[in-house]
Amino acid sequence: AREEVDSNAIHRLMFLMQRFFRAVSSTTPVLLFLDDLQWADSASLELIRTIVCDGNMTSFLFVGAHRSNEVGDDHILLSAFRKISGSGISIHHILLDNMDKISVNALISDTIKLSPLLTRPLTDAVYSKTSGNCLFVVELLADLYRQGHLRYSVPMLRYEWNLDAITGLEINEDVVDIMRRKMLRLGATETWSLKIAACLGAQMKESTLNLLSMGLGLSPDSGLVTLLQQPIAEGLLLKVGSNIRFSHDQIQHAAYSLISNADKPSLHLKIGRSLCNVSKAENADEMIFTCVDQLNRGSTEIKNRSEKLNVARINRHAAKKAIASSTFLAASIYLKLAVSLLEAGDWETDY
């Protein structure tokens, strides 16, 4: 019976989303873009299929992006594509490969304000190290500048480079390693703040960072938002309205890799405890998913039985909130983790 209720709720959600996009697109053209589809679950892909295959939709365009190297032949995303095509909807695939040498030369030429003819030797060296990966090219140029191999000549009023030094560089690392080295050049407190931000995810609200700063005992003048200003200036993070996000998921990955695997659970647990301690009644529901995510990722470090019970209760509360918003997969994860934290006697004393 419960499965039937859940199924009905999912169908209601899909129906409402379908009607919403149908109504909006009837008065103005709508473009819906979703990135990183390789990480989408089956329910999300089914929702996309329902919207895209609506025969009554007008002036609607869906654009999705995914990493082809992370999508195998048996991936659920390709199955969703086949279902959409089978419904008579045309899908146009555009493969975005690494930049070719001409494009890399155009980027370098525009960056250092020299003609493409003059930058060709530098382009050859950079391209041989990066294979045209856009993020890698940009970060390598910045790294060459920091090392003095690419510098501005005041007497010549132009950029110059040490081609022999660049050609002789042994780059046995990927873009994540370059970003990691860039982060380690920051001050200790700024690097620490980046680790905290990486634990919170690709994007975080300033209000969340301010609450966490209070929980960690930081003063307003030295809170996380303040500490992250330098990484923002370095281009590692972007400030969009009241949100702060990593400028690329590989940059978040690099920041997270600065934390040793042994220290990650305890740091997540510290963040979760701090947020729970300072979340007041009026914003407790707003913070519940952030709190529970951090606590769960650090749950292996919880030894105290009363804290295990408390985290189990928080997971139950998060599951109820997830069910209310028809996010059933997340709800099942919260409930399973809550059960895993219980001991045999808890079913008798804390049921």
Side-chain angles (χ1 to χ4, degrees), residues 42-290:
S42 56
S44 300
L45 292 174
E46 182 60 21
L47 176 58
I48 292 172
R49 189 195 67 79
T50 300
I51 295 171
V52 169
C53 295
D54 182 6
N56 296 313
M57 194 85 71
T58 58
S59 304
F60 178 81
L61 175 64
F62 175 80
V63 179
H66 69 90
R67 296 177 184 172
S68 56
N69 62 323
E70 295 185 22
V71 177
D73 293 336
D74 58 345
H75 198 282
I76 58 173
L77 179 59
L78 296 187
S79 176
F81 287 163
R82 288 191 288 270
K83 289 180 180 178
I84 293 173
S85 296
S87 299
I89 304 298
S90 298
I91 299 180
H92 302 278
H93 297 277
I94 303 174
L95 178 62
L96 298 179
D97 208 344
N98 287 342
M99 295 188 296
D100 58 25
K101 192 177 290 189
I102 294 175
S103 299
V104 173
N105 193 39
L107 186 151
I108 293 176
S109 170
D110 185 64
T111 300
I112 62 178
K113 307 304 179 186
L114 285 175
S115 74
L117 184 62
L118 292 175
T119 56
R120 279 180 188 170
L122 176 59
T123 295
D124 290 340
V126 170
Y127 189 83
S128 69
K129 308 290 183 183
T130 63
S131 300
N133 182 294
C134 185
L135 181 61
F136 207 167
V137 169
V138 172
E139 290 305 323
L140 180 58
L141 287 173
D143 209 39
L144 293 176
Y145 179 80
R146 284 191 289 266
Q147 295 183 52
H149 300 316
L150 175 64
R151 61 194 178 279
Y152 186 78
S153 172
V154 175
M156 299 299 294
L157 298 177
R158 51 160 282 186
Y159 276 93
E160 296 180 339
W161 51 88
N162 187 335
L163 191 60
D164 291 337
I166 296 172
T167 304
L169 285 176
E170 291 188 15
I171 301 179
N172 299 318
E173 53 195 6
D174 59 15
V175 69
V176 173
D177 294 313
I178 286 184
M179 298 309 302
R180 188 187 297 115
R181 288 199 290 112
K182 182 177 181 179
M183 293 170 188
L184 290 173
R185 293 192 187 99
L186 299 172
T189 53
E190 285 79 8
T191 302
W192 173 80
S193 67
L194 271 175
K195 295 178 183 178
I196 298 294
C199 287
L200 291 171
Q203 179 171 294
M204 60 233 71
K205 295 180 179 179
E206 281 192 355
S207 57
T208 300
L209 293 171
N210 290 332
L211 274 176
L212 182 54
S213 297
M214 291 173 53
L216 294 171
L218 301 176
S219 66
D221 293 336
S222 60
L224 288 167
V225 173
T226 301
L227 293 176
L228 290 173
Q229 293 309 304
Q230 183 60 32
I232 290 173
E234 293 283 340
L236 298 169
L237 297 166
L238 298 174
K239 190 174 184 302
V240 183
S242 61
N243 294 332
I244 294 176
R245 65 178 178 86
F246 284 93
S247 53
H248 195 281
D249 60 354
Q250 292 287 357
I251 296 177
Q252 185 205 354
H253 178 54
Y256 195 60
S257 70
L258 293 175
I259 312 167
S260 69
N261 290 333
D263 291 336
K264 285 174 182 175
S266 58
L267 183 54
H268 281 294
L269 183 59
K270 182 178 182 179
I271 293 172
R273 285 169 173 167
S274 299
L275 285 173
C276 288
N277 289 338
V278 296
S279 295
K280 304 195 184 301
E282 58 268 22
N283 58 20
D285 280 350
E286 179 184 341
M287 294 300 303
I288 181 65
F289 295 117
T290 304

Side-chain angles (χ1 to χ4, degrees), residues 325-337:
S325 60
S326 301
T327 316
F328 303 109
L329 179 60
S332 69
I333 293 172
Y334 296 142
L335 292 173
K336 287 176 182 176
L337 201 137

Side-chain angles (χ1 to χ4, degrees), residues 287-306:
M287 294 300 303
I288 181 65
F289 295 117
T290 304
C291 289
V292 78
D293 177 60
Q294 296 299 316
L295 291 171
N296 289 348
R297 296 174 77 174
S299 60
T300 55
E301 297 294 307
I302 301 175
K303 309 302 179 186
N304 183 276
R305 184 183 178 188
S306 63

